[in-house]
Amino acid sequence: MRIRDVRAIPVSVPTPPESQVSMGFGRSVKRDAVLVRIRTEDGITGWGESHHGRSPGTIAHLVNAALAPLVTGADAADVTGVNMVLHQAQLTGLGLGTAAAIAMSGIDIALWDIRAQAVGWPLYRLLGGARRAVDAYAGGVALGYQPRGDLVDEVATLRAGGFRAVKLRIGDTPHDDLARVAAVREAHGTDLTILTDANTRYSVADALTVAPVLEEYGVAWLEEPLSRYDVHGYRQVAGASRVPLAAGENHYTRYEFAGLLDGGAVRVPQPDISKVGGLTEALKVAALASAWRLSISPHTAGTGINMAATVHFLAAQDNAGYFEADVSRNAALRTELTSQPYEWRPDGSVLPLDRPGIGVQIDEEFLAAHPLIDAPGFA
């Protein structure tokens, strides 16, 4: 089962003005992703996804120009061997580091898709799991900086659809952030689980101001208040309240996660399988988290490939936390590019697909009709 060819395809979908959301990264003007297609000599096609890294054309070029030649002809079932080759070429030395981890992720996910298809199993079974439900929260590019009444109404719509947990975007100003959280808590009561995400936009002083008040509001976690590099700051903020700190979508490989979790400041690890190095690396991160008795709640973004694979992954973990369900207004990468990536349950949980491999179908006409827009995704 040799790899015949590897191809990365960047895709961009503009977001119309009425659907744009403001958050810590800015105002969303388009959605990007990089799909990775691997075909074997046996005729099996696997699909993976690399995060856009705010530069989808660059990530796709890295896959096509630097990584694909290294793995073409390799045994598609030898995921470990392929990872060793790519780690040595791009992560051990003289490589592109973060960009390489992102690019490698799409290749790795596609290989797992191929392996599961080859044996006729859904991915969760190949990973050692079962078709068990995973709790979900409403996330994605949504619930941003908007008038409190509009935010309360958006949460009401999501709750009517079955969600029992939502993630509010903070990182604006402490005053406005706390006012929005307070409004949602007052309107929806204590039976709603509120998560918050500052998208790295706080200073340590801001985070120390906000954290004790979030504890009063019963917030279940404070995600990425600070830069990924500010380990000392995370430790300071962790001591300011009992609200757990979450982080990891901007950390890469098991090695960075080992440093992130050491010391206990971050209690909710959040690898993104399209960024961390793929499913192979995410499995190692999950094992690390399990050793610290921590649940793992992956970040998701992009297309239905990432989302479907993430649900399979969580269904195979003994320390599965939340699945981040995309409720973005511009959801075409989930609803049009791919088939439905998971089965929704009315109790606010999701089930992995029960078809061989990752289980999603790709609309290649949609893919061809939405080529790369080589411009920033946030204004």
Side-chain angles (χ1 to χ4, degrees):
M1 195 166 67
R2 297 286 167 182
I3 296 173
R4 191 181 80 195
D5 62 73
V6 178
R7 181 68 179 170
I9 308 163
V11 55
S12 300
V13 180
T15 302
E18 65 273 12
S19 296
Q20 294 175 2
V21 174
S22 293
M23 47 196 282
F25 297 127
R27 177 171 47 84
S28 63
V29 295
K30 67 184 175 86
R31 300 290 301 276
D32 296 309
V34 178
L35 272 62
V36 177
R37 183 189 64 210
I38 297 181
R39 293 186 290 208
T40 72
E41 294 175 353
D42 307 77
I44 301 177
T45 298
W47 288 93
E49 179 181 340
S50 292
H51 191 271
H52 55 77
R54 288 196 169 191
S55 187
T58 300
I59 297 297
H61 180 71
L62 179 56
V63 173
N64 293 331
L67 304 189
L70 296 174
V71 302
T72 300
D75 181 358
D78 184 14
V79 176
T80 298
V82 168
N83 268 272
M84 290 171 64
V85 167
L86 297 180
H87 268 259
Q88 183 64 37
Q90 284 287 337
L91 290 177
T92 302
L94 296 180
L96 292 178
T98 294
I102 293 173
M104 289 165 54
S105 297
I107 292 174
D108 184 80
I109 294 168
L111 291 178
W112 278 100
D113 187 24
I114 288 169
R115 294 180 79 225
Q117 289 183 60
V119 298
W121 284 0
L123 179 59
Y124 68 78
R125 182 175 294 177
L126 190 66
L127 293 173
R131 197 165 191 253
R132 58 176 61 94
V134 178
D135 289 335
Y137 71 84
V141 185
L143 299 161
Y145 305 163
Q146 60 213 72
R148 281 171 275 176
D150 292 347
L151 183 61
V152 166
D153 290 345
E154 185 176 357
V155 172
T157 299
L158 293 168
R159 295 197 74 187
F163 281 103
R164 298 179 180 180
V166 300
K167 186 166 78 177
L168 308 182
R169 299 290 180 166
I170 58 175
D172 183 6
T173 69
H175 176 272
D176 290 345
D177 291 337
L178 292 173
R180 283 189 285 264
V181 174
V184 172
R185 176 59 78 206
E186 181 178 354
H188 292 283
T190 57
D191 61 335
L192 173 70
T193 297
I194 297 178
L195 315 168
T196 57
D197 184 356
N199 293 123
T200 74
R201 294 304 170 178
Y202 279 154
S203 65
V204 171
D206 288 338
L208 290 172
T209 297
V210 166
V213 185
L214 294 180
E215 181 180 345
E216 293 177 16
Y217 294 147
V219 167
W221 78 47
L222 169 56
E223 181 175 336
E224 286 200 318
L226 310 171
S227 162
R228 59 182 285 229
Y229 303 111
D230 194 357
V231 176
H232 179 67
Y234 270 92
R235 289 173 180 162
Q236 286 183 274
V237 176
S241 80
R242 290 181 293 180
V243 177
L245 298 185
E249 71 173 89
N250 290 306
H251 290 79
Y252 306 88
T253 77
R254 80 205 84 151
Y255 307 108
E256 289 198 7
F257 272 87
L260 178 69
L261 299 180
D262 187 29
V266 172
R267 291 159 54 197
V268 184
Q270 299 174 301
D272 184 324
I273 65 169
S274 294
K275 301 175 81 173
V276 72
L279 282 160
T280 301
E281 205 68 27
L283 290 166
K284 295 178 170 66
V285 173
L288 278 173
S290 181
W292 271 287
R293 300 287 185 181
L294 300 175
S295 296
I296 191 163
S297 295
H299 171 264
T300 61
T303 83
I305 297 171
N306 172 295
M307 297 168 199
T310 298
V311 178
H312 284 291
F313 166 76
L314 284 168
Q317 304 311 309
D318 62 4
N319 57 335
Y322 274 112
F323 168 68
E324 181 177 7
D326 177 46
V327 296
S328 308
R329 295 171 189 168
N330 181 359
L333 295 177
R334 169 174 56 85
T335 61
E336 298 181 52
L337 174 60
T338 70
S339 56
Q340 180 63 28
Y342 48 80
E343 181 181 321
W344 174 256
R345 287 159 50 99
D347 66 353
S349 64
V350 295
L351 287 170
L353 300 176
D354 208 25
R355 296 187 289 270
I358 292 173
V360 293
Q361 285 80 50
I362 308 300
D363 186 338
E364 297 195 46
E365 291 184 2
F366 180 93
L367 185 60
H370 293 84
L372 170 68
I373 299 173
D374 203 5
F378 291 91

mmCIF file of all heavy atoms in Angstrom, residues 270-302:
data_model
loop_
_atom_site.group_PDB
_atom_site.id
_atom_site.type_symbol
_atom_site.label_atom_id
_atom_site.label_comp_id
_atom_site.label_asym_id
_atom_site.label_seq_id
_atom_site.Cartn_x
_atom_site.Cartn_y
_atom_site.Cartn_z
ATOM 1 N N GLN A 270 -5.530 21.620 24.907
ATOM 2 C CA GLN A 270 -6.399 21.765 23.736
ATOM 3 C C GLN A 270 -5.626 21.629 22.417
ATOM 4 O O GLN A 270 -5.589 22.561 21.616
ATOM 5 C CB GLN A 270 -7.093 23.131 23.764
ATOM 6 C CG GLN A 270 -7.977 23.370 24.968
ATOM 7 C CD GLN A 270 -8.511 24.783 24.981
ATOM 8 O OE1 GLN A 270 -7.765 25.757 25.004
ATOM 9 N NE2 GLN A 270 -9.824 24.912 24.941
ATOM 10 N N PRO A 271 -5.038 20.498 22.141
ATOM 11 C CA PRO A 271 -4.360 20.355 20.848
ATOM 12 C C PRO A 271 -5.360 20.398 19.700
ATOM 13 O O PRO A 271 -6.507 19.973 19.844
ATOM 14 C CB PRO A 271 -3.706 18.975 20.952
ATOM 15 C CG PRO A 271 -4.604 18.221 21.886
ATOM 16 C CD PRO A 271 -5.046 19.238 22.905
ATOM 17 N N ASP A 272 -4.929 20.928 18.586
ATOM 18 C CA ASP A 272 -5.709 20.888 17.348
ATOM 19 C C ASP A 272 -5.026 19.864 16.452
ATOM 20 O O ASP A 272 -3.844 20.021 16.128
ATOM 21 C CB ASP A 272 -5.723 22.272 16.694
ATOM 22 C CG ASP A 272 -6.591 22.342 15.444
ATOM 23 O OD1 ASP A 272 -6.637 21.347 14.691
ATOM 24 O OD2 ASP A 272 -7.203 23.391 15.207
ATOM 25 N N ILE A 273 -5.729 18.823 16.047
ATOM 26 C CA ILE A 273 -5.079 17.760 15.274
ATOM 27 C C ILE A 273 -4.580 18.246 13.921
ATOM 28 O O ILE A 273 -3.717 17.603 13.309
ATOM 29 C CB ILE A 273 -5.988 16.527 15.094
ATOM 30 C CG1 ILE A 273 -7.224 16.857 14.266
ATOM 31 C CG2 ILE A 273 -6.371 15.928 16.428
ATOM 32 C CD1 ILE A 273 -8.006 15.625 13.840
ATOM 33 N N SER A 274 -5.086 19.384 13.445
ATOM 34 C CA SER A 274 -4.611 19.953 12.185
ATOM 35 C C SER A 274 -3.426 20.888 12.377
ATOM 36 O O SER A 274 -2.944 21.492 11.425
ATOM 37 C CB SER A 274 -5.743 20.719 11.485
ATOM 38 O OG SER A 274 -6.761 19.849 11.081
ATOM 39 N N LYS A 275 -2.953 21.016 13.627
ATOM 40 C CA LYS A 275 -1.833 21.901 13.925
ATOM 41 C C LYS A 275 -0.720 21.182 14.698
ATOM 42 O O LYS A 275 0.463 21.418 14.469
ATOM 43 C CB LYS A 275 -2.305 23.108 14.751
ATOM 44 C CG LYS A 275 -3.366 23.948 14.076
ATOM 45 C CD LYS A 275 -3.874 25.058 14.978
ATOM 46 C CE LYS A 275 -2.954 26.253 14.981
ATOM 47 N NZ LYS A 275 -3.537 27.406 15.721
ATOM 48 N N VAL A 276 -1.097 20.327 15.625
ATOM 49 C CA VAL A 276 -0.146 19.772 16.584
ATOM 50 C C VAL A 276 0.837 18.794 15.951
ATOM 51 O O VAL A 276 1.893 18.509 16.504
ATOM 52 C CB VAL A 276 -0.905 19.093 17.743
ATOM 53 C CG1 VAL A 276 -1.551 17.789 17.299
ATOM 54 C CG2 VAL A 276 -0.013 18.872 18.949
ATOM 55 N N GLY A 277 0.505 18.295 14.762
ATOM 56 C CA GLY A 277 1.308 17.270 14.095
ATOM 57 C C GLY A 277 0.480 16.098 13.637
ATOM 58 O O GLY A 277 1.006 15.082 13.180
ATOM 59 N N GLY A 278 -0.852 16.234 13.739
ATOM 60 C CA GLY A 278 -1.749 15.181 13.278
ATOM 61 C C GLY A 278 -2.256 14.321 14.412
ATOM 62 O O GLY A 278 -2.012 14.567 15.596
ATOM 63 N N LEU A 279 -2.966 13.270 14.042
ATOM 64 C CA LEU A 279 -3.512 12.340 15.030
ATOM 65 C C LEU A 279 -2.412 11.618 15.801
ATOM 66 O O LEU A 279 -2.534 11.375 17.003
ATOM 67 C CB LEU A 279 -4.428 11.329 14.341
ATOM 68 C CG LEU A 279 -5.812 11.828 13.970
ATOM 69 C CD1 LEU A 279 -6.428 10.948 12.897
ATOM 70 C CD2 LEU A 279 -6.719 11.886 15.202
ATOM 71 N N THR A 280 -1.339 11.260 15.115
ATOM 72 C CA THR A 280 -0.243 10.548 15.782
ATOM 73 C C THR A 280 0.302 11.360 16.942
ATOM 74 O O THR A 280 0.529 10.839 18.044
ATOM 75 C CB THR A 280 0.874 10.235 14.778
ATOM 76 O OG1 THR A 280 0.339 9.435 13.711
ATOM 77 C CG2 THR A 280 2.016 9.484 15.437
ATOM 78 N N GLU A 281 0.519 12.642 16.716
ATOM 79 C CA GLU A 281 1.037 13.506 17.780
ATOM 80 C C GLU A 281 -0.034 13.778 18.828
ATOM 81 O O GLU A 281 0.261 13.826 20.031
ATOM 82 C CB GLU A 281 1.537 14.819 17.170
ATOM 83 C CG GLU A 281 2.589 15.529 17.995
ATOM 84 C CD GLU A 281 3.914 14.794 18.047
ATOM 85 O OE1 GLU A 281 4.239 14.043 17.105
ATOM 86 O OE2 GLU A 281 4.634 14.972 19.049
ATOM 87 N N ALA A 282 -1.278 13.940 18.411
ATOM 88 C CA ALA A 282 -2.359 14.196 19.366
ATOM 89 C C ALA A 282 -2.543 13.027 20.328
ATOM 90 O O ALA A 282 -2.867 13.217 21.507
ATOM 91 C CB ALA A 282 -3.661 14.479 18.625
ATOM 92 N N LEU A 283 -2.346 11.809 19.843
ATOM 93 C CA LEU A 283 -2.434 10.641 20.718
ATOM 94 C C LEU A 283 -1.366 10.698 21.811
ATOM 95 O O LEU A 283 -1.616 10.327 22.972
ATOM 96 C CB LEU A 283 -2.288 9.351 19.903
ATOM 97 C CG LEU A 283 -3.460 9.017 18.978
ATOM 98 C CD1 LEU A 283 -3.055 7.923 17.997
ATOM 99 C CD2 LEU A 283 -4.682 8.587 19.784
ATOM 100 N N LYS A 284 -0.192 11.175 21.467
ATOM 101 C CA LYS A 284 0.876 11.307 22.461
ATOM 102 C C LYS A 284 0.548 12.405 23.470
ATOM 103 O O LYS A 284 0.823 12.277 24.669
ATOM 104 C CB LYS A 284 2.204 11.572 21.760
ATOM 105 C CG LYS A 284 2.694 10.408 20.891
ATOM 106 C CD LYS A 284 3.977 10.744 20.186
ATOM 107 C CE LYS A 284 4.605 9.531 19.507
ATOM 108 N NZ LYS A 284 3.806 8.995 18.398
ATOM 109 N N VAL A 285 -0.050 13.487 22.992
ATOM 110 C CA VAL A 285 -0.458 14.568 23.896
ATOM 111 C C VAL A 285 -1.556 14.079 24.849
ATOM 112 O O VAL A 285 -1.541 14.391 26.046
ATOM 113 C CB VAL A 285 -0.939 15.791 23.098
ATOM 114 C CG1 VAL A 285 -1.530 16.856 24.023
ATOM 115 C CG2 VAL A 285 0.214 16.380 22.280
ATOM 116 N N ALA A 286 -2.494 13.302 24.321
ATOM 117 C CA ALA A 286 -3.554 12.756 25.174
ATOM 118 C C ALA A 286 -2.976 11.866 26.258
ATOM 119 O O ALA A 286 -3.432 11.881 27.413
ATOM 120 C CB ALA A 286 -4.566 11.983 24.326
ATOM 121 N N ALA A 287 -1.958 11.093 25.914
ATOM 122 C CA ALA A 287 -1.320 10.234 26.909
ATOM 123 C C ALA A 287 -0.618 11.067 27.976
ATOM 124 O O ALA A 287 -0.675 10.754 29.173
ATOM 125 C CB ALA A 287 -0.338 9.289 26.230
ATOM 126 N N LEU A 288 0.056 12.153 27.557
ATOM 127 C CA LEU A 288 0.671 13.055 28.518
ATOM 128 C C LEU A 288 -0.377 13.621 29.469
ATOM 129 O O LEU A 288 -0.183 13.645 30.688
ATOM 130 C CB LEU A 288 1.359 14.213 27.788
ATOM 131 C CG LEU A 288 2.753 14.004 27.219
ATOM 132 C CD1 LEU A 288 3.155 15.222 26.405
ATOM 133 C CD2 LEU A 288 3.752 13.753 28.331
ATOM 134 N N ALA A 289 -1.475 14.098 28.901
ATOM 135 C CA ALA A 289 -2.536 14.678 29.724
ATOM 136 C C ALA A 289 -3.096 13.652 30.701
ATOM 137 O O ALA A 289 -3.367 13.959 31.873
ATOM 138 C CB ALA A 289 -3.642 15.232 28.830
ATOM 139 N N SER A 290 -3.261 12.435 30.236
ATOM 140 C CA SER A 290 -3.782 11.378 31.095
ATOM 141 C C SER A 290 -2.854 11.122 32.278
ATOM 142 O O SER A 290 -3.309 10.852 33.395
ATOM 143 C CB SER A 290 -3.979 10.096 30.273
ATOM 144 O OG SER A 290 -4.496 9.054 31.074
ATOM 145 N N ALA A 291 -1.545 11.237 32.052
ATOM 146 C CA ALA A 291 -0.592 11.030 33.139
ATOM 147 C C ALA A 291 -0.742 12.077 34.227
ATOM 148 O O ALA A 291 -0.435 11.824 35.397
ATOM 149 C CB ALA A 291 0.830 11.042 32.591
ATOM 150 N N TRP A 292 -1.220 13.275 33.854
ATOM 151 C CA TRP A 292 -1.475 14.341 34.819
ATOM 152 C C TRP A 292 -2.942 14.350 35.289
ATOM 153 O O TRP A 292 -3.364 15.278 35.954
ATOM 154 C CB TRP A 292 -1.126 15.702 34.217
ATOM 155 C CG TRP A 292 0.291 16.122 34.431
ATOM 156 C CD1 TRP A 292 0.861 16.540 35.593
ATOM 157 C CD2 TRP A 292 1.330 16.186 33.443
ATOM 158 N NE1 TRP A 292 2.183 16.866 35.388
ATOM 159 C CE2 TRP A 292 2.508 16.665 34.084
ATOM 160 C CE3 TRP A 292 1.394 15.902 32.079
ATOM 161 C CZ2 TRP A 292 3.711 16.846 33.418
ATOM 162 C CZ3 TRP A 292 2.585 16.075 31.419
ATOM 163 C CH2 TRP A 292 3.738 16.542 32.080
ATOM 164 N N ARG A 293 -3.702 13.337 34.911
ATOM 165 C CA ARG A 293 -5.124 13.235 35.267
ATOM 166 C C ARG A 293 -5.926 14.414 34.729
ATOM 167 O O ARG A 293 -6.813 14.949 35.394
ATOM 168 C CB ARG A 293 -5.299 13.148 36.789
ATOM 169 C CG ARG A 293 -4.618 11.948 37.428
ATOM 170 C CD ARG A 293 -5.356 10.666 37.113
ATOM 171 N NE ARG A 293 -4.783 9.523 37.823
ATOM 172 C CZ ARG A 293 -5.229 8.275 37.703
ATOM 173 N NH1 ARG A 293 -6.249 8.027 36.905
ATOM 174 N NH2 ARG A 293 -4.664 7.287 38.362
ATOM 175 N N LEU A 294 -5.617 14.816 33.504
ATOM 176 C CA LEU A 294 -6.302 15.930 32.866
ATOM 177 C C LEU A 294 -7.142 15.439 31.706
ATOM 178 O O LEU A 294 -6.724 14.552 30.957
ATOM 179 C CB LEU A 294 -5.281 16.953 32.349
ATOM 180 C CG LEU A 294 -4.361 17.587 33.391
ATOM 181 C CD1 LEU A 294 -3.331 18.475 32.701
ATOM 182 C CD2 LEU A 294 -5.155 18.390 34.413
ATOM 183 N N SER A 295 -8.310 16.035 31.537
ATOM 184 C CA SER A 295 -9.130 15.768 30.358
ATOM 185 C C SER A 295 -8.599 16.583 29.182
ATOM 186 O O SER A 295 -8.039 17.666 29.364
ATOM 187 C CB SER A 295 -10.594 16.137 30.621
ATOM 188 O OG SER A 295 -11.138 15.325 31.633
ATOM 189 N N ILE A 296 -8.809 16.070 27.983
ATOM 190 C CA ILE A 296 -8.319 16.731 26.780
ATOM 191 C C ILE A 296 -9.506 17.211 25.950
ATOM 192 O O ILE A 296 -10.440 16.466 25.681
ATOM 193 C CB ILE A 296 -7.390 15.781 25.977
ATOM 194 C CG1 ILE A 296 -6.660 16.527 24.881
ATOM 195 C CG2 ILE A 296 -8.118 14.562 25.462
ATOM 196 C CD1 ILE A 296 -5.463 15.773 24.339
ATOM 197 N N SER A 297 -9.478 18.500 25.592
ATOM 198 C CA SER A 297 -10.586 19.127 24.864
ATOM 199 C C SER A 297 -10.023 19.818 23.626
ATOM 200 O O SER A 297 -9.688 21.011 23.662
ATOM 201 C CB SER A 297 -11.318 20.144 25.752
ATOM 202 O OG SER A 297 -11.956 19.511 26.837
ATOM 203 N N PRO A 298 -9.871 19.109 22.512
ATOM 204 C CA PRO A 298 -9.173 19.659 21.350
ATOM 205 C C PRO A 298 -9.844 20.898 20.772
ATOM 206 O O PRO A 298 -11.072 21.039 20.795
ATOM 207 C CB PRO A 298 -9.225 18.507 20.333
ATOM 208 C CG PRO A 298 -9.429 17.282 21.164
ATOM 209 C CD PRO A 298 -10.277 17.719 22.312
ATOM 210 N N HIS A 299 -9.008 21.773 20.251
ATOM 211 C CA HIS A 299 -9.501 22.883 19.449
ATOM 212 C C HIS A 299 -9.867 22.351 18.065
ATOM 213 O O HIS A 299 -9.196 21.468 17.532
ATOM 214 C CB HIS A 299 -8.402 23.937 19.311
ATOM 215 C CG HIS A 299 -8.703 25.029 18.338
ATOM 216 N ND1 HIS A 299 -8.262 25.010 17.031
ATOM 217 C CD2 HIS A 299 -9.412 26.171 18.473
ATOM 218 C CE1 HIS A 299 -8.674 26.102 16.410
ATOM 219 N NE2 HIS A 299 -9.374 26.822 17.259
ATOM 220 N N THR A 300 -10.958 22.852 17.500
ATOM 221 C CA THR A 300 -11.294 22.510 16.117
ATOM 222 C C THR A 300 -11.544 23.783 15.325
ATOM 223 O O THR A 300 -11.963 24.800 15.867
ATOM 224 C CB THR A 300 -12.550 21.620 16.016
ATOM 225 O OG1 THR A 300 -13.670 22.326 16.567
ATOM 226 C CG2 THR A 300 -12.370 20.317 16.751
ATOM 227 N N ALA A 301 -11.265 23.714 14.060
ATOM 228 C CA ALA A 301 -11.500 24.833 13.150
ATOM 229 C C ALA A 301 -11.381 24.311 11.742
ATOM 230 O O ALA A 301 -10.857 23.218 11.515
ATOM 231 C CB ALA A 301 -10.492 25.962 13.384
ATOM 232 N N GLY A 302 -11.839 25.102 10.782
ATOM 233 C CA GLY A 302 -11.651 24.707 9.396
ATOM 234 C C GLY A 302 -12.779 23.871 8.857
ATOM 235 O O GLY A 302 -13.942 24.266 8.886
#
